[in-house]
Amino acid sequence: MKGRPVRARARALHPDGTPCLDGTRRVPRGFTPCCAAFDRLTRNCVYDLRVEWWGRHRRWFVRLPAPTATTGLEVRFCPHCGARLGAR
Ligand SMILES: [Zn+2]
């Protein structure tokens, strides 16, 4: 069958076996992003620049690619517009 290939986002795996998180996000309930660029960061894959809300810490983190553990670097301000990042 001919046609353009469709990317299977949700189930895609990286070569190291970890799931691709592109299109998924971890944000606070009812979250409104400060700007469109930050909104995109929350939906990126870990091999791009991906920002997640970690509810247990109640803080935002840049998620680092690591197959065996969830690691990240805390961010307090939006790298695009400079807004202070909070729980909403
Ligand atoms: Zn922003």
Side-chain angles (χ1 to χ4, degrees):
M1 206 167 88
K2 286 197 168 182
R4 289 199 308 168
V6 178
R7 275 176 77 202
R9 291 188 137 189
R11 311 240 173 238
L13 294 180
H14 300 133
D16 65 5
T18 56
C20 180
L21 298 177
D22 187 39
T24 68
R25 59 183 198 157
R26 284 173 69 175
V27 299
R29 192 182 301 246
F31 172 68
T32 306
C34 50
C35 62
F38 187 79
D39 186 48
R40 179 61 218 172
L41 291 185
T42 66
R43 300 166 197 271
N44 278 343
C45 172
V46 293
Y47 286 105
D48 200 334
L49 186 62
R50 175 180 174 84
V51 180
E52 293 184 343
W53 171 256
W54 293 0
R56 198 159 72 87
H57 301 276
R58 295 192 58 75
R59 293 181 195 280
W60 291 93
F61 291 85
V62 173
R63 174 90 173 255
L64 301 177
T68 55
T70 302
T71 54
L73 294 172
E74 186 185 348
V75 282
R76 296 194 176 186
F77 298 92
C78 172
H80 291 280
C81 74
R84 176 175 274 278
L85 299 172
R88 53 192 94 200

